[in-house]
Amino acid sequence: MTNAQLNRFKDKAFQAFGLFCTFFGLIVLAIFLLDILKEGLARLDWDFLTSLPSRRAARAGILTAWAGTLWILVMTALIAIPLGVAAGIYLEEYGKKTRMASFLEINIANLAGVPSIIYGLLGLELFVRQLQLGGSLLAGALTLSLLVLPIIIVTTREAIKAVPKSLREASFALGASKWQTIRMQVLPAATGGIMTGIILSLSRAVGEAAPLIVIGALAYVPFVPEGPMDEFTVLPIQIFNWVSRPQEAFLINAAAAIIVLLCITFMLNGIAVYLRYRQQKKVKW
């Protein structure tokens, strides 16, 4: 067998292995989803969505959990998006290519892969203890902002980097300043990629439980939070609380809550895919 034939055989083997892994993963995911739907759909109704938590499974609802999730999602977005996008623009357009800049870029990329519980420990020390915010919504939003900031920065930089230099040069040739070029040419062209990264990062934040548990988010909150300094719970923590109970009825509640959380996650991912597709269709280099 020649080297060319051997390489073709290896390529086909890797492709077959990749298809097998993908197919196997889809089967596992389908089994998981079907089991969750079978257990939770019967429990999912308006009362379940609008009821406060209870020690009785039949009366327990997820009002405080999804309200806390919404608070956390909005506050995290308000904190992380401006900082992440601004940092990405600065590093890509204004930052000098020095050794320190390269070191900073490598560390930002590495931070995107740090386990979320490490951010929880950082948030516990910095926001809960030093700033004395306690187990509040603000402390949770700041902690999750640290979690998603590296992802937003990296995706913003990659989206800006994908904009061709010819677009910038044409803008400069017409007399536009650097900031005018960035604001009116580069950012509109990179909006699809930036928004995709933002939404995917927020989708990750919605599903996080470990860092919020570390900073002191509660598993049982009998009231809906009304301000940033209120105590809170979120859907992942409520699900964790229910699956740890021995009663089967609480497991059914957890399955229904998982369906709600999956709907939120799939909706965010769907928006990201739509924005990406729309931008690719609109802008063709």
Side-chain angles (χ1 to χ4, degrees), residues 239-258:
I239 293 169
F240 172 77
N241 180 35
W242 279 338
V243 298
S244 63
R245 302 285 186 89
Q247 296 89 342
E248 185 178 354
F250 280 111
L251 297 179
I252 296 175
N253 286 355
I258 289 172

Side-chain angles (χ1 to χ4, degrees), residues 31-271:
I31 294 173
F32 169 75
L33 291 177
L34 289 174
D35 185 61
I36 292 297
L37 292 173
K38 179 182 177 182
E39 293 289 336
L41 277 179
R43 182 69 178 89
L44 195 60
D45 54 21
W46 184 250
D47 288 337
F48 181 72
L49 295 174
T50 57
S51 297
L52 295 172
S54 173
R55 301 186 188 279
R56 298 180 180 179
R59 298 174 55 186
I62 59 170
L63 176 60
T64 58
W66 71 255
T69 297
L70 183 61
W71 268 98
I72 284 290
L73 179 63
V74 173
M75 292 177 65
T76 301
L78 291 176
I79 296 170
I81 292 175
L83 292 176
V85 173
I89 293 172
Y90 174 79
L91 291 173
E92 188 61 32
E93 296 290 338
Y94 291 98
K96 296 181 180 180
K97 306 302 180 182
T98 61
R99 290 185 177 179
M100 180 58 68
S102 300
F103 177 77
L104 184 63
E105 293 171 7
I106 293 172
N107 280 276
I108 290 174
N110 289 336
L111 285 174
V114 171
S116 60
I117 195 169
I118 302 301
Y119 288 100
L121 294 172
L122 178 61
L124 175 64
E125 179 61 28
L126 182 60
F127 304 127
V128 176
R129 294 177 179 173
Q130 297 299 326
L131 298 182
Q132 298 182 354
L133 296 178
S136 63
L137 282 164
L138 183 57
L142 288 169
T143 301
L144 291 183
S145 297
L146 293 179
L147 174 68
V148 302
L149 261 177
I151 303 173
I152 297 177
I153 293 173
V154 171
T155 54
T156 298
R157 293 195 62 196
E158 292 300 323
I160 293 174
K161 191 181 298 184
V163 178
K165 292 183 179 180
S166 58
L167 189 65
R168 296 176 175 84
E169 293 171 354
S171 180
F172 292 145
L174 293 175
S177 64
K178 187 175 183 64
W179 172 240
Q180 288 175 329
T181 299
I182 295 171
R183 181 170 60 88
M184 303 184 69
Q185 300 297 329
V186 176
L187 288 181
T191 297
I194 294 173
M195 290 301 300
T196 300
I198 289 172
I199 294 172
L200 291 178
S201 65
L202 293 178
S203 179
R204 179 187 177 186
V206 166
E208 287 293 344
L212 299 180
I213 291 174
V214 171
I215 68 168
L218 303 177
Y220 179 81
V221 179
F223 57 86
V224 177
E226 297 180 353
M229 299 307 297
D230 288 348
E231 295 180 328
F232 70 102
T233 189
V234 290
L235 279 170
I237 294 178
Q238 185 66 74
I239 293 169
F240 172 77
N241 180 35
W242 279 338
V243 298
S244 63
R245 302 285 186 89
Q247 296 89 342
E248 185 178 354
F250 280 111
L251 297 179
I252 296 175
N253 286 355
I258 289 172
I259 294 174
V260 176
L261 183 59
L262 286 175
C263 288
I264 295 174
T265 305
F266 288 159
M267 181 182 67
L268 291 174
N269 289 339
I271 293 173

Side-chain angles (χ1 to χ4, degrees), residues 1-23:
M1 181 180 292
T2 63
N3 289 334
Q5 291 175 333
L6 182 61
N7 290 333
R8 284 196 295 269
F9 175 78
K10 289 180 179 179
D11 291 339
K12 290 181 179 179
F14 280 122
Q15 290 176 3
F17 180 73
L19 289 173
F20 171 78
C21 291
T22 303
F23 184 69

